[in-house]
């Protein structure tokens, strides 16, 4: 789920058909438009995720967006009249790239300066200087689990990766105090100051709420106002939305979260507007808490 059009729209993808992007009006809770790629498109152009071309574009009203497939990254232009919003990849201004190698991308996200963090089925995380870049400037080797979603803080300090049974929080701060994702040069994940932190519910809460057989929805950071930093991470399991305290979690706190019963199975959730508003989409409706 992504916000769009100055947070007036939510962009939703169905788990069984990620090639469809449904545009939901936040005020009415109704689907107003559907996007997709060309009929019978090759795997290299079938959507696996959509994302802002730079963190914060959803609020600024930026016209174009990014999209990722299993083997490429593309530009989408919602102003295009047809259902297919894909900008022609052969257009040099499209910032599109189809890779020769099998990348197995699952999702992507950007920092405020346009760095692209791409996650993959084999657990790799690759960092690119921009949409359409040919070569990654950093890569975190596979963790042994598929990463099906990723998000980052606007300054690029933190990355959150969603696996089915847990969430990984990565701090990109280097020992010299610099933020790796603010650099344009090659760097290594091994040089970071802190090891990744695994976020998951305590065994007690898994049993109490009967969540052993459920998987996390894509985790997101909150969207703070200009001049302030992110404070929370949100995801969900079944009917429960989970909100973690970012900074306590980054320091290793095990139970720095609260659980909110949404009353129905949560399909997706994200922060909308201020950092204290969470939009959770169930099969019945959209709820702002």
């Amino acid at each position: 789920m992504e916000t769009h059009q100055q947070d007036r729209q939510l962009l939703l993808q169905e788990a069984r058909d990620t090639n469809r992007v449904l545009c939901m009006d936040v005020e009415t809770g109704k689907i107003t438009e559907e996007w997709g790629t060309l009929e019978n498109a090759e795997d290299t152009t079938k959507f696996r995720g959509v994302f802002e071309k730079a963190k914060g574009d959803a609020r600024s009203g930026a016209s174009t967006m990014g999209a990722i497939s299993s083997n490429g990254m593309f530009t989408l232009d919602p102003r295009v009249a047809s259902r297919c919003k894909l900008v022609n990849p052969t257009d040099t201004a499209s910032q599109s790239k189809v890779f020769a190698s099998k990348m197995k991308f699952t999702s992507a996200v950007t920092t405020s300066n346009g760095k692209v963090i791409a996650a993959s089925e084999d657990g790799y995380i690759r960092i690119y200087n921009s949409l359409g870049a040919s070569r990654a400037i950093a890569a975190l080797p596979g963790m042994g689990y598929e990463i099906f979603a990723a998000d980052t803080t606007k300054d690029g300090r933190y990355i959150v990766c969603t696996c089915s049974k847990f969430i990984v929080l990565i701090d990109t701060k280097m020992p010299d105090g610099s933020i790796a994702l603010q650099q344009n040069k090659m760097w290594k994940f091994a040089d970071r100051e802190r090891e990744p932190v695994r976020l998951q519910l305590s065994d007690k809460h898994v049993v109490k709420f009967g969540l052993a057989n459920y998987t996390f929805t894509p985790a997101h950071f909150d969207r703070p106002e200009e001049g302030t930093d992110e404070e929370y991470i949100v995801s969900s399991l079944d009917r429960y939305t989970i909100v973690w305290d970012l900074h306590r979690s980054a320091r290793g706190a095990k139970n720095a979260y609260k659980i909110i019963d949404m009353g129905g199975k949560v399909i997706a959730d994200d922060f909308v507007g201020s950092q204290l508003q969470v939009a959770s989409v169930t099969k019945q409706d959209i709820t702002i808490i």
Side-chain angles (χ1 to χ4, degrees), residues 34-39 76-77 80-87:
E34 178 183 325
W35 304 346
T37 54
L38 296 171
E39 293 291 337
L76 301 180
D77 190 341
V80 175
S82 66
R83 178 179 179 274
C84 176
K85 307 299 182 182
L86 188 67
V87 176

Side-chain angles (χ1 to χ4, degrees), residues 40-276:
N40 302 315
E42 299 295 330
D43 284 343
T44 53
T45 55
K46 286 185 177 179
F47 294 165
R48 299 200 74 175
V50 295
F51 55 94
E52 301 167 298
K53 291 180 73 174
K55 190 86 170 182
D57 276 359
R59 284 184 171 176
S60 68
S63 300
T64 58
M65 299 186 67
I68 195 163
S69 72
S70 64
N71 214 42
M73 290 183 274
F74 308 90
T75 295
L76 301 180
D77 190 341
R79 297 169 297 182
V80 175
S82 66
R83 178 179 179 274
C84 176
K85 307 299 182 182
L86 188 67
V87 176
N88 190 339
T90 61
D91 183 344
T92 56
S94 73
Q95 292 184 296
S96 297
K97 172 68 179 176
V98 176
F99 294 88
S101 303
K102 298 296 183 183
M103 308 303 286
K104 298 182 179 179
F105 290 136
T106 56
S107 67
V109 68
T110 54
T111 63
S112 59
N113 63 1
K115 293 282 195 306
V116 179
I117 299 100
S120 60
E121 292 177 11
D122 55 11
Y124 268 81
I125 302 169
R126 295 174 177 86
I127 313 297
Y128 297 88
N129 267 332
S130 63
L131 182 66
S134 299
R135 186 180 181 187
I137 60 171
L140 177 64
M143 296 183 288
Y145 298 90
E146 176 182 353
I147 299 170
F148 64 86
D151 195 15
T152 180
T153 52
K154 57 188 177 181
D155 64 358
R157 174 166 178 178
Y158 294 103
I159 301 171
V160 66
C161 302
T162 310
C163 301
S164 61
K165 296 298 183 182
F166 60 89
I167 295 165
V168 178
L169 177 61
I170 300 169
D171 188 346
T172 72
K173 184 178 179 181
M174 308 298 266
D176 63 3
S178 65
I179 306 301
L181 273 173
Q182 295 177 357
Q183 303 175 15
N184 292 322
K185 62 183 181 180
M186 302 286 287
W187 54 275
K188 297 179 180 179
F189 272 95
D191 294 336
R192 293 170 298 105
E193 190 172 58
R194 292 177 177 173
E195 289 298 311
V197 174
R198 182 180 291 202
L199 306 180
Q200 54 194 138
L201 300 191
S202 67
D203 292 341
K204 176 182 176 180
H205 284 147
V206 170
V207 173
K208 178 179 179 180
F209 297 106
L211 298 173
N213 297 320
Y214 293 97
T215 60
F216 282 106
T217 59
H220 295 278
F221 292 103
D222 59 291
R223 301 170 182 267
E225 301 296 336
E226 193 67 30
T228 59
D229 296 325
E230 292 86 350
E231 296 183 32
Y232 305 105
I233 300 167
V234 65
S235 181
S236 59
L237 286 165
D238 190 34
R239 61 186 288 167
Y240 302 99
T241 288
I242 322 296
V243 181
W244 281 269
D245 182 300
L246 167 59
H247 300 290
R248 288 180 60 203
S249 297
R251 293 193 295 268
K254 297 297 183 183
N255 297 315
Y257 59 80
K258 61 180 178 180
I259 301 173
I260 305 166
D261 188 344
M262 302 304 299
K265 183 177 178 60
V266 179
I267 299 171
D269 42 28
D270 200 352
F271 287 90
V272 176
S274 75
Q275 61 190 32
L276 297 180

